[in-house]
Amino acid sequence: MTDLVPACDPPRIPVRGGGTFPVRRIYCVGRNFADHAREMGAQAPASPEARGRPVFFGKPADALVLDGQVPYPPATSELHHEVELTVAIGRDAASGVLEPDRALDLVLGYGIGLDLTRRDLQAQAKAAGLPWDIAKGFDHSAPVSELLPAAGLDLRQSTLSLEVNGNLRQSARLDQMIWSVADILHELSKLYRLRAGDLVLMGTPAGVAALAPGDRCHARLDDLLSLDCVILPALT
């Protein structure tokens, strides 16, 4: 059967050492650092037992930005940065719930991402009890770095940070996440069957703030990995 419109190729993230990672689906985690939950007016869990269920939302795969060029989005005056660890799933999970002690077996690599957010639209949606989709899943809302192969990596003591125009905005060790990578993959598997090509953005620490055209972002994961992007004028 002939396609009536051209088929879209999936975006492909470079992997250090060679090859690319074609992205199927993007899952995002909200409120995964207690300090960020509090700065957004939410209650942080007092203990691991009180965590409840993670907050999940999504972005379309074509929201990825691979060249660091981010046009300022329409319909907002509050574009905020949220620096996050990204987790790339390299093989399909078996059907059923994925146990935490087997979850990391699925991980092909790790990277850095920015969950760009139209904060004013998110606030309006929250106030009305509506979904966040237009605040999170817009064009160019997910700049990402290359991926580091996961083999032999233990990032729990690593620090994720973001500078804007040379000024430190966000910084936290990854062991401060409320839900670990294994925890999040376990929880996602209760809702979806994870597959090769899925990308997970793991949530952001405190310090989210506004960006303006001309701003330059520099994110780091210790000395292992970096991500640079620039906010361009809005498209006309």
Side-chain angles (χ1 to χ4, degrees):
M1 185 176 294
T2 302
D3 291 336
L4 297 182
V5 297
C8 296
D9 288 332
R12 289 174 167 82
I13 303 174
V15 179
R16 187 176 295 179
T20 62
F21 178 80
V23 178
R24 186 187 83 98
R25 184 178 289 180
I26 303 175
Y27 300 104
C28 302
V29 184
R31 302 175 188 170
N32 200 18
F33 286 83
D35 55 0
H36 174 61
R38 287 190 289 267
E39 78 174 347
M40 297 305 296
Q43 187 173 7
S47 67
E49 295 74 22
R51 291 181 303 178
R53 178 183 295 175
V55 175
F56 293 124
F57 57 95
K59 289 178 183 277
D62 65 3
L64 289 173
V65 176
L66 302 174
D67 64 359
Q69 307 290 299
V70 181
Y72 198 92
T76 185
S77 59
E78 290 186 61
L79 176 67
H80 278 208
H81 57 74
E82 300 189 9
V83 67
E84 313 205 357
L85 177 72
T86 65
V87 180
I89 303 302
R91 62 183 180 85
D92 292 355
S95 59
V97 176
L98 177 66
E99 293 306 317
D101 61 355
R102 300 301 304 273
L104 297 185
D105 295 345
L106 299 184
V107 177
L108 180 144
Y110 298 102
I112 303 171
L114 292 182
D115 168 18
L116 297 178
T117 302
R118 294 194 275 208
R119 191 70 71 200
D120 45 359
L121 299 189
Q122 185 187 38
Q124 293 166 19
K126 286 181 177 180
L130 298 174
W132 302 353
D133 297 58
I134 60 172
K136 291 288 192 177
F138 53 94
D139 296 339
H140 309 105
S141 63
V144 293
S145 72
E146 66 174 341
L147 296 171
L148 279 177
L153 279 182
D154 183 350
L155 300 178
R156 288 173 293 182
Q157 303 295 315
S158 297
T159 296
L160 182 68
S161 63
L162 176 71
E163 294 180 355
V164 178
N165 302 326
N167 298 311
L168 185 65
R169 292 270 186 96
Q170 295 182 267
S171 181
R173 273 191 0 188
L174 295 178
D175 61 3
Q176 296 174 8
M177 291 190 297
I178 297 170
W179 287 273
S180 69
V181 173
D183 292 336
I184 287 298
L185 299 186
H186 167 69
E187 293 292 336
L188 276 171
S189 75
K190 297 177 182 179
L191 302 168
Y192 310 96
R193 185 178 176 192
L194 296 172
R195 294 186 178 275
D198 289 345
L199 191 71
V200 184
L201 275 66
M202 285 291 299
T204 196
V208 301
L211 294 166
D215 283 347
R216 292 186 174 273
C217 300
H218 177 68
R220 297 189 66 84
L221 183 62
D222 288 339
D223 293 326
L224 297 171
L225 199 59
S226 64
L227 166 65
D228 290 288
C229 66
V230 60
I231 307 302
L232 303 175
L235 296 174
T236 58

